[in-house]
Amino acid sequence: MSDERAAILKGTLDMLILKVVALGPVHGYAISQRIQEVSKDYFQLQEGSLYPALYRLEDRGLLGAEWRATDTGREAKFYKLTKKGRKRLETELESWERMTEAVALILRLAE
Amino acid sequence: MKWLDRLFRKRKFEAQIDSELRFHIEQKTAELVAQGVEPTEARRRAMAKLGGIEAVKQEWRESRSFCWLERLLMDIRYAARMLRKSPGFTTVAILTLALGIGLNTALFSVADGFLFKTLPVRDPQQLVVLDWFGDKLPAKLALTGESNPVDPRTGQQLTNVFSYATFQGLRLRARAFRSVFALAPIGPVTVGWHGRGHVGVGIMVSGNCYSGLGLRPFLGRLLLPRDDRAGAEPVAVISYQFWRKVFGGDPSVVGRAVSLDGVFFTVVGVTPRNFLGVQSFGFLSDPDVTIPMSQEPSINSRVLGGLLPPMTDPNHWGLQLMARLRAGATERQAQAEANAIFQRSLGPEWASVSRGRLPEIRLLSGATGGNLLAGFAPKPLTVLMVLAGLVLLIACANVANLFLSRAAARRREFTIRLALGSGRIALFRQLIIEGVIIAVLGGTAGLFLAWWGARLLLLLLPRIPLLNLGLNVAPDIRVFSFALAASLFSGIFCALAPAMRAARLEPAAELKEASASGWSAGGRSRNRLGKLLVGSQIALSLPLLVVCALFVRTSQNVSSTNLGFNPRGVLVFRLDPTLQGYEGAKLARLYRELLGRLNALPGVVSVSGSRNAQVSDVMMGFASETIRVEGVQKSRRVAGVEVNNVTPGFFHTMGIPLISGRDFTNEDDLTGPLVAVVSEAAARKYFSNPSPVGKRFRWGGARHWIDVVGIVGNAKYQTVRAKAQPTVYLPVWQSRRTGGMYFEIRTGANVASVSKEIYSTVRGLDPSLLIGNMETQAHQINSSLAVSGDRLFAQLTALFGGLGLLLACVGLYGITAYQVSLRTREIGIRVALGADRGQILWLTLRQSLSAALLGLAAGLLLALAAARVVRGALYGVAPYDPVNLASVTLLLAAVAGLAAWLPARRATEIEPTSALRYE
């Protein structure tokens, strides 16, 4: 992944994780799959940085976690969004939209 | 609080992460296998994508920002491990700090026990001690203390002796005080118990004294106001120490009768263990026996020989006063009120004095019991503390040097760590922690040292009663926190410079160096700091040694000062036959008989008796207010004269020279004319004639004239440093009321055998007689306050001086040795190129010596300042005495030179080949 994309991802990883988890409880591997799939491979997550981000969000109380059995019978750690996390996601989305709007406005300025 | 959780269940969390990541890898592998990748290759790719389990774990660990505690613990463990790896350094550093801190803490706890510990009474801050200052002292001063200081600026006299009239006035009319109580010492009394006599210190107090102080008894009860009435049962309270010593801690003594110089008192209680009395008349009074003031008439006649007018005589000045402020009253109000009452209670003596020149009362804080050692030790203790602080600084400089050398030796380690990515802050923190660990360990060891040191200190003062038993110098919370603060401070101080140095290393530049040599830029500045440390050690040691030398000289001078008599070969003991019922003529006969028999003993050169002993801690005084010399118009006031009643032969026994006239004879008794012998000083002062033999004088108010029959040399009584007071000697046989006496025996023979003979002689006369306090005169002088205090001081400062010197020299040796080791390669090269041994020696010495010289110079200035500060405590030696300064400087220079020369000499023996191989 090129440097620019990596930089963007780093800044928004938290937000992306929160969004993915908002769709339902999910374990870490599934999160990384999701992000890759849905972004149509634009973002290729450095998986090593996913888990530290997950732990950080969990520490801050934005994500909750529990160990559950998967369909294969193996135990895995499933993350879900807490109320605090949901609120945070909303604020992040808002500010993201405002930012993109502003950028779009500037970019559309006629020369 | 998840982080707290994580701290304590780290392993569990790490296991969870492990399993989570493994799951991830398994899933990924399965996916890749499903895509057709070969299983092992799939697994490898999955792991590579993840980035490695450990790496993730590490990143997770590092990303946690609020786990400083865990980081700290890690640092501490690591530091401890590093310290364990270099045991030599660690031990030396800890020991050095332990010495420095231990010394300081020991001193602090002793000082605390004396100066800062308040009385173990209720609300000590409400207590005040009264004294007053005025243009003159009252004529009938019943007791003079050690000295009555004169304010140099105003010329006014300061004293804490009050009259009974003042006491009554304050007690009845001062509303700012909740209670006012009085104390009056009696002096030594012989306490008879189970047929044995023990000499103790007695004191009289007003009935409200103990309740005013707010003291609770240890056993039984304390004196009450009802005991202080005329006609009340004679009761007494004894001190805890006396109770243990004399009565063996037997609780049944409460309620039993003991005799005080023949008068019977019932013991009603024991004061608490940590109550050591209140200062009285400038003397350390550790009252063994306390009786109510109402018992004064019987005491007066027995103990004081009826020489004093009754205490209740309005003009009798013989009380010390203390008071407890009423809640809400300020000291200012109390002082004003007390002053008014005081001035109104002054007797006719001050009737003619104008309003503005009347004496004024002062209130001093009584929380520490009248500043127990005010006359003795606050300044010296402060001086000692400063000296101990100096030793601590020197110790710290030493340890700092140790740290510096160690840090320099570890430079490679540090640079590699920095290069591998360790943060500078982390390095810095870790070094500081090493310093703190050493310091805390050193401080703890020092605390133990302090415990023993404080007791040792007390042991060095044998006779001073206060310090013998009961003085609690066990480390308390204040002492402990002082020690802790000192050790933390030292640790950080010592580790700071090397830590900062380490944090500033540039890895690239450092690693280019082939080896740590003394050439690099870093090396040069490191040398500078090292030299600075050594120089300051020497600079601090010099004032230490100078002060120490001054005090040693002072102590020697005090010990050898001319006392006016010859204490060598003199045995002294005390006898009080009044306990056995002797009195009047029967007593005189006993004494004469005893003297005769003692004189006849083999080996005895001369025998005599006296009412007061020389250079003892007992006060003397006389109640007459004036002396009238025949032929001189005005009466002279005699405050400050000393009077001693002696038997014939006293001057010969004591070695006091008879200058003119004659000694007393056995014929100078009640049948003949009254005679006296006066000292030179008295002759000059009262007779304005160096040889007034044949002149007559009489005491004011007395009818009979006294003939001066002899003049003797001056002899010192209570003090060694001050000049001898004018003294008047009266014959014992002519005194109307005699009590117990001291006996002096001059002997050339073995002391032990003579004392045995003395015992048997006395027993032979009357087996029931009690002999007290037999010791040699020299021993008595040496253990008196006057001498032992100086001696202790000299010993302590010598200890400090020696310690400081030792530390400074170790430091100098260390740094020179270190220099040599640094420059081994360089030296090897020089030798290979043809330098001779001398040049090498000079090369290595040069740096250390320059530091030492600068240190000496700075130290000299400090020493001059220090000498000036302690000027007042010296005796017989000038503070800037050049011989002193020069010899001490030379000593320090010599020792320092030796310390530097030894390793330098080793440098000259370096073989070039081995040096060049040395890395």
Side-chain angles (χ1 to χ4, degrees), chain A residues 29 33 47 51 55 59 79, chain B residues 6 20 24 26 31 60:
Chain A
Y29 179 69
Q33 290 294 85
E47 289 162 17
Y51 286 96
Y55 301 146
D59 266 347
Y79 293 92
Chain B
R6 257 196 255 273
E20 190 175 5
H24 181 108
E26 278 169 28
E31 184 191 318
W60 168 70

Side-chain angles (χ1 to χ4, degrees), chain A:
Chain A
M1 196 163 61
S2 74
D3 283 337
E4 300 146 2
R5 290 191 219 166
I8 300 174
L9 182 59
K10 210 164 189 176
T12 56
L13 183 59
D14 284 5
M15 193 175 65
L16 297 178
I17 292 178
L18 287 176
K19 181 67 190 181
V20 168
V21 178
L23 303 174
V26 65
H27 59 64
Y29 179 69
I31 294 176
S32 80
Q33 290 294 85
R34 247 348 177 37
I35 291 180
Q36 234 171 280
E37 269 174 36
V38 172
S39 74
K40 301 207 193 355
D41 276 347
Y42 187 74
F43 286 130
Q44 267 155 45
L45 196 47
Q46 182 68 308
E47 289 162 17
S49 39
L50 172 67
Y51 286 96
L54 282 172
Y55 301 146
R56 205 179 35 229
L57 291 171
E58 189 189 344
D59 266 347
R60 293 210 207 121
L62 301 174
L63 288 179
E66 62 175 350
W67 285 81
R68 272 201 271 156
T70 57
D71 19 353
T72 57
R74 188 80 162 69
E75 280 254 320
K77 193 173 179 188
F78 280 77
Y79 293 92
K80 68 178 196 294
L81 205 56
T82 61
K83 233 187 296 200
K84 200 166 158 197
R86 201 169 291 277
K87 250 187 279 190
R88 170 61 84 83
L89 180 58
E90 280 169 21
T91 29
E92 288 286 312
L93 280 175
E94 263 178 48
S95 53
W96 176 260
E97 278 167 12
R98 245 183 290 137
M99 190 184 78
T100 42
E101 237 184 82
V103 171
L105 282 175
I106 293 180
L107 288 179
R108 274 198 229 111
L109 281 179
E111 267 155 28

Side-chain angles (χ1 to χ4, degrees), chain B residues 609-867:
Chain B
S610 68
R611 209 161 154 260
N612 295 303
Q614 307 280 145
V615 196
S616 63
D617 298 321
V618 181
M619 49 205 157
M620 296 170 63
F622 199 68
S624 171
E625 69 272 29
T626 52
I627 187 176
R628 175 112 191 241
V629 175
E630 187 181 47
V632 174
Q633 285 291 34
K634 271 178 60 168
S635 306
R636 294 288 303 279
R637 310 194 54 246
V638 295
V641 82
E642 291 180 342
V643 177
N644 204 354
N645 302 71
V646 302
T647 65
F650 176 75
F651 306 114
H652 178 66
T653 311
M654 296 304 291
I656 301 177
L658 183 65
I659 296 181
S660 62
R662 66 169 179 86
D663 189 1
F664 299 130
T665 64
N666 279 326
E667 282 72 48
D668 292 315
D669 58 15
L670 290 167
T671 61
L674 295 177
V675 292
V677 170
V678 302
S679 70
E680 274 184 291
R684 242 193 309 269
K685 182 164 179 188
Y686 296 112
F687 297 86
S688 37
N689 179 350
S691 183
V693 176
K695 286 262 177 27
R696 303 205 296 174
F697 72 93
R698 64 166 191 232
W699 299 115
R703 254 176 300 134
H704 305 284
W705 288 99
I706 306 177
D707 291 311
V708 175
V709 297
I711 315 291
V712 291
N714 294 320
K716 300 198 184 181
Y717 277 91
Q718 288 147 336
T719 155
V720 173
R721 290 192 184 205
K723 291 225 299 247
Q725 296 277 67
T727 316
V728 171
Y729 297 93
L730 300 173
V732 168
W733 309 144
Q734 283 188 345
S735 91
R736 278 177 204 293
R737 268 178 269 204
T738 320
M741 281 219 303
Y742 286 93
F743 286 86
E744 298 87 24
I745 296 105
R746 177 170 289 282
T747 168
N750 177 288
V751 161
S753 60
V754 175
S755 49
K756 259 212 298 250
E757 300 277 335
I758 294 174
Y759 271 111
S760 47
T761 311
V762 172
R763 291 274 151 69
L765 264 182
D766 181 346
S768 68
L769 289 175
L770 306 163
I771 298 187
N773 299 16
M774 168 144 2
E775 56 185 351
T776 62
Q777 176 73 72
H779 182 260
Q780 191 219 33
I781 294 177
N782 274 337
S783 35
S784 78
L785 219 55
V787 174
S788 59
D790 281 312
R791 198 149 39 98
L792 171 71
F793 211 66
Q795 284 166 338
L796 284 176
T797 47
L799 174 70
F800 293 160
L803 204 56
L805 183 63
L806 178 69
L807 288 174
C809 288
V810 167
L812 194 54
Y813 178 91
I815 198 175
T816 316
Y818 178 65
Q819 296 278 323
V820 169
S821 71
L822 273 189
R823 303 172 75 175
T824 308
R825 212 153 168 260
E826 173 198 345
I827 293 174
I829 294 176
R830 283 179 190 256
V831 170
L833 288 178
D836 69 29
R837 303 287 173 192
Q839 285 176 321
I840 301 292
L841 193 70
W842 175 239
L843 188 72
T844 46
L845 273 184
R846 192 176 54 189
Q847 287 185 317
S848 329
L849 283 189
S850 65
L853 278 173
L854 280 174
L856 278 178
L860 209 58
L861 288 173
L862 280 176
L864 287 176

Side-chain angles (χ1 to χ4, degrees), chain B residues 119 285 322 343 372 390 422 436 560 661 711 826 848 911:
Chain B
L119 287 175
S285 82
M322 277 184 78
Q343 289 177 343
L372 238 26
L390 278 182
S422 158
V436 170
S560 62
I711 315 291
E826 173 198 345
S848 329
E911 290 298 322

